[in-house]
């Protein structure tokens, strides 16, 4: 098996995260399809359309999530969840930047952690560690602490919209 990590940046080569090349993407593709989203894999070295943060981060255009093998799993899930938390009529207009509010951003982060549990070889624990390594920041100091002790508002937002898996 090929190395399953990619450095966060040249400035922090010790931080590594799980990439799409290291997992079977079929379950991710099925998860997105269940929410009327398409996962589009671009060739290694090719630009990722709609990437807000730049490559290797996932990109968004309409109902499509663009990724490469070196795209971090957390990035693919995060961008997909941005689309999932939006009403379908807003999805068509999305190009690169999908955030509408702090509440949507929090719901997106919460949902990506929940969805990671359903992906073989990923899991919520690994995803939260990768989110920390990549630079997500929360008041309580870690993604796990936020998810377990400070995310009630995000969970409620998702429940009100029937977006949490049963």
């Amino acid at each position: 098996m090929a190395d399953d990590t990619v450095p966060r940046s040249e400035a922090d080569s010790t931080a590594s995260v799980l990439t799409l090349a290291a997992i079977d993407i079929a379950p991710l593709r099925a998860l997105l399809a269940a929410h009327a989203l398409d996962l589009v894999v671009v060739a290694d070295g090719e630009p990722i359309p709609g990437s807000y943060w730049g490559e290797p981060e996932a990109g968004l255009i309409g109902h499509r999530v663009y990724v490469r093998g070196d795209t971090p799993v957390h990035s693919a899930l995060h961008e997909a969840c941005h689309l999932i938390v939006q009403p379908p009529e807003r999805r068509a207009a999305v190009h690169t930047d999908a955030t509408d509010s702090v509440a949507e951003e929090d719901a997106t982060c919460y949902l990506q952690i929940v969805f990671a549990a359903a992906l073989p070889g990923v899991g919520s624990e690994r995803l939260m560690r990768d989110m920390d390594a990549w630079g997500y920041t929360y008041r309580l100091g870690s993604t796990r602490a936020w998810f377990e002790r400070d995310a009630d508002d995000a969970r409620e937002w998702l429940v009100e919209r029937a977006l949490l898996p049963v």
Side-chain angles (χ1 to χ4, degrees), residues 65-80:
V65 178
Y66 293 87
V67 297
R68 286 190 318 218
D70 62 345
T71 297
V73 173
H74 71 80
S75 176
L77 282 171
H78 186 83
E79 297 308 323

Side-chain angles (χ1 to χ4, degrees), residues 22 34-35 75 143:
H35 293 277
S75 176
T143 304

Side-chain angles (χ1 to χ4, degrees), residues 47-102:
I48 299 175
S51 180
Y52 182 81
W53 295 106
E55 291 138 13
E57 297 286 336
L60 298 176
I61 300 175
H63 64 278
R64 292 182 178 91
V65 178
Y66 293 87
V67 297
R68 286 190 318 218
D70 62 345
T71 297
V73 173
H74 71 80
S75 176
L77 282 171
H78 186 83
E79 297 308 323
C81 288
H82 265 300
L83 293 177
I84 292 167
V85 303
Q86 292 187 8
E89 63 275 6
R90 277 192 27 223
R91 288 183 192 173
V94 171
H95 193 300
T96 309
D97 186 2
T99 300
D100 186 52
S101 67
V102 171

Side-chain angles (χ1 to χ4, degrees), residues 9-128:
S9 70
E10 291 179 7
D12 185 9
S13 61
T14 61
S16 59
V17 298
L18 188 64
T19 64
L20 293 176
I23 68 167
D24 176 4
I25 66 165
L28 176 60
R29 190 179 301 281
L31 176 68
L32 272 58
H35 293 277
L37 301 177
D38 294 327
L39 183 67
V40 180
V41 180
V42 300
D44 291 344
E46 292 296 316
I48 299 175
S51 180
Y52 182 81
W53 295 106
E55 291 138 13
E57 297 286 336
L60 298 176
I61 300 175
H63 64 278
R64 292 182 178 91
V65 178
Y66 293 87
V67 297
R68 286 190 318 218
D70 62 345
T71 297
V73 173
H74 71 80
S75 176
L77 282 171
H78 186 83
E79 297 308 323
C81 288
H82 265 300
L83 293 177
I84 292 167
V85 303
Q86 292 187 8
E89 63 275 6
R90 277 192 27 223
R91 288 183 192 173
V94 171
H95 193 300
T96 309
D97 186 2
T99 300
D100 186 52
S101 67
V102 171
E104 273 190 14
E105 185 68 34
D106 289 349
T108 294
C109 290
Y110 191 92
L111 194 58
Q112 80 185 85
I113 294 165
V114 171
F115 283 166
L119 296 178
V122 181
S124 295
E125 291 297 322
R126 173 61 193 258
L127 193 84
M128 288 188 280

